[in-house]
Amino acid sequence: MPYPAANQGSLQPQSHKHYGITSPISLASPKENDYVLTQKLIEALKPFGVFEEEEELQHRIAILGKLNSLVKEWIRDTSEIKNLPPSVIENVGGKIFTFGSYRLGVHTKGADIDALCVAPRHIERIDFFTSFCEKLKQQDEVRNLRAVEEAFVPVIKLSFDGIEIDILFARLALQTIPEDLDLRDDVLLKNLDLRCIRSLNGCRVTDEILHLVPNIENFRLTLRAIKLWAKRHNIYSNILGFLGGVSWAMLVARTCQLYPNAVASTLVHKFFLVFSKWEWPNPVLLKQPEDCNLNLPVWDPRVNPSDRYHLMPIITPAYPQQNSTYNVSASTRAVMMEEFKQGLSITDEILMGKMEWSKLFEAPNFFQKYKYVFHYL
């Protein structure tokens, strides 16, 4: 669950553990001014609605609790219909996991929730899209329910008491689903169909990211700032050939690994420093890729010729590793590199006290930014 925004700038013990595939660039501790600048960063972010009020956060937690109870009830009922022994039914379990921006703790006001329903082996996908759908329809809080069974990753979409939720489904090769299940365990992928593996991927990647950063609170605040900056500069879109949420999260996570003791004001600046100078197409990796011998396709340019043409590879940290930025083109990468350089220039000025954080989040002037286009029209 995400932490309230009020804790974002808190003092944290130094990190001494080694994170990432290389040594850190700097282990420097924050200075007093770094904390001051971090507090100013928080104040600059507030007008953009990136922090959720405690009341709305508690509302989300309550909704997820209700959804989790519905899943457990549905699995118990379905288990009875399938004549499982009472001893199994009693402990059959089932659970709702979250992933994406909510699980990372960086969701904004009114954002939707990405969720995953994890069920034991005797609960099938057809049950999820029939009897569970029916159970959801019977709930007074549920609106706009639609099942998208034929999607690449099948999903149920709904509004639950005003919060939009996308629910994926994964059936594990387990008789029961324990409460303390860790989805990062690669053994869980054995004997699963591809749709279940795809459904699990979001949770596995999100959980790995959180385990691979030295300080979760510093990571969260930095990611909030970078996501807002990317959206304000119109480069937050996987579909349009820029980067989506998980890619921005991985870039911020890599920055945190390289500067494990830095606070958010420093990390935002270092983010622009690192990635304005990154020598693409060298991949961004949060950990060494592992081969689990499950024969699933993974990103590996040594084996897959098509992977050699990826221009800005950012590799997910959970098996099967994938490039999250295969849509990036030469032109969109050039736009992002220019934006990284501009971001570095602005944050240089901010750290010297010559500019305010608000400058970083100013929407660029379209006509100024693309003046060369109009020159040729």
Side-chain angles (χ1 to χ4, degrees), residues 280-295:
W280 305 105
N282 287 324
V284 173
L285 295 161
L286 297 181
K287 61 185 275 194
Q288 283 295 353
E290 297 163 357
D291 187 3
C292 299
N293 297 316
L294 296 176
N295 294 320

Side-chain angles (χ1 to χ4, degrees), residues 367 370-377:
F367 294 99
Y370 297 107
K371 60 186 174 186
Y372 58 88
V373 175
F374 297 99
H375 179 74
Y376 291 106
L377 288 178

Side-chain angles (χ1 to χ4, degrees), residues 8-23:
Q8 301 272 5
S10 58
L11 292 169
Q12 299 280 347
Q14 277 197 9
S15 170
H16 296 291
K17 182 182 167 185
H18 181 79
Y19 290 86
I21 62 168
T22 62
S23 299

Side-chain angles (χ1 to χ4, degrees), residues 62-345:
I63 284 170
L64 286 169
K66 287 181 188 175
L67 197 55
N68 201 45
S69 297
L70 287 172
V71 163
K72 289 183 190 301
E73 279 176 31
W74 164 65
I75 289 175
R76 270 200 310 273
D77 293 346
T78 308
S79 302
E80 284 180 10
I81 291 166
K82 296 191 178 195
N83 296 316
L84 264 73
S87 58
V88 173
I89 293 170
E90 192 178 331
N91 300 302
V92 73
K95 192 172 179 182
I96 284 285
F97 291 84
T98 58
F99 61 100
S101 63
Y102 178 79
R103 174 72 181 103
L104 287 172
V106 296
H107 61 287
T108 55
K109 288 180 183 177
D112 61 0
I113 297 176
D114 294 310
L116 170 69
C117 170
V118 173
R121 63 192 179 203
H122 60 276
I123 305 293
E124 299 182 49
R125 188 175 299 278
I126 189 69
D127 299 321
F128 178 71
F129 282 107
T130 53
S131 56
F132 186 59
C133 251
E134 283 305 313
K135 191 171 187 68
L136 288 171
K137 284 176 186 173
Q138 292 163 13
Q139 309 306 310
D140 293 338
E141 304 99 326
V142 170
R143 298 277 185 279
N144 306 325
L145 187 145
R146 55 213 183 277
V148 192
E149 286 185 69
E150 303 311 314
F152 184 69
V153 182
V155 60
I156 292 175
K157 293 175 171 283
L158 70 148
S159 173
F160 199 116
D161 202 8
I163 302 289
E164 297 291 324
I165 306 178
D166 289 355
I167 313 174
L168 310 183
F169 174 79
R171 165 201 188 198
L172 301 185
L174 301 173
Q175 189 175 39
T176 61
I177 302 299
E179 272 301 303
D180 61 352
L181 182 69
D182 185 352
L183 294 180
R184 293 183 304 140
D185 186 351
D186 295 329
V187 174
L188 294 174
L189 301 181
K190 284 185 178 177
N191 305 317
L192 296 193
D193 69 39
L194 261 178
R195 286 178 300 181
C196 284
I197 290 171
R198 287 187 201 123
S199 295
L200 284 165
N201 192 51
C203 284
R204 285 168 54 79
V205 168
T206 306
D207 285 359
E208 277 290 357
I209 290 170
L210 290 173
H211 277 85
L212 290 167
V213 294
N215 181 305
I216 290 176
E217 290 308 304
N218 290 338
F219 163 73
R220 283 177 170 148
L221 183 53
T222 307
L223 182 53
R224 285 185 188 277
I226 294 301
K227 282 180 68 164
L228 176 62
W229 165 81
K231 287 173 181 176
R232 297 287 290 168
H233 287 250
N234 303 307
I235 55 172
Y236 190 101
S237 172
N238 208 20
I239 294 168
L240 296 179
F242 296 105
L243 306 189
V246 73
S247 300
W248 291 114
M250 288 189 285
L251 292 188
V252 170
R254 186 70 188 115
T255 309
C256 292
Q257 291 179 339
L258 293 170
Y259 300 90
N261 296 319
V263 290
S265 57
T266 306
L267 288 167
V268 171
H269 176 248
K270 297 300 187 186
F271 171 91
F272 292 119
L273 177 65
V274 169
F275 294 109
S276 63
K277 299 182 187 309
W278 195 271
E279 294 184 355
W280 305 105
N282 287 324
V284 173
L285 295 161
L286 297 181
K287 61 185 275 194
Q288 283 295 353
E290 297 163 357
D291 187 3
C292 299
N293 297 316
L294 296 176
N295 294 320
L296 295 172
V298 298
W299 185 86
D300 188 344
R302 296 168 304 176
V303 176
N304 310 315
S306 61
D307 292 347
R308 296 169 201 162
Y309 297 99
H310 293 174
L311 299 177
M312 200 174 177
I314 302 171
I315 310 306
T316 56
Y319 180 84
Q321 298 84 10
Q322 304 292 326
N323 176 23
S324 65
T325 60
Y326 53 86
N327 279 343
V328 170
S329 66
S331 58
T332 56
R333 184 178 71 176
V335 169
M336 286 187 278
M337 291 302 287
E338 187 56 37
E339 291 289 359
F340 291 151
K341 288 171 187 169
Q342 290 289 331
L344 178 61
S345 175

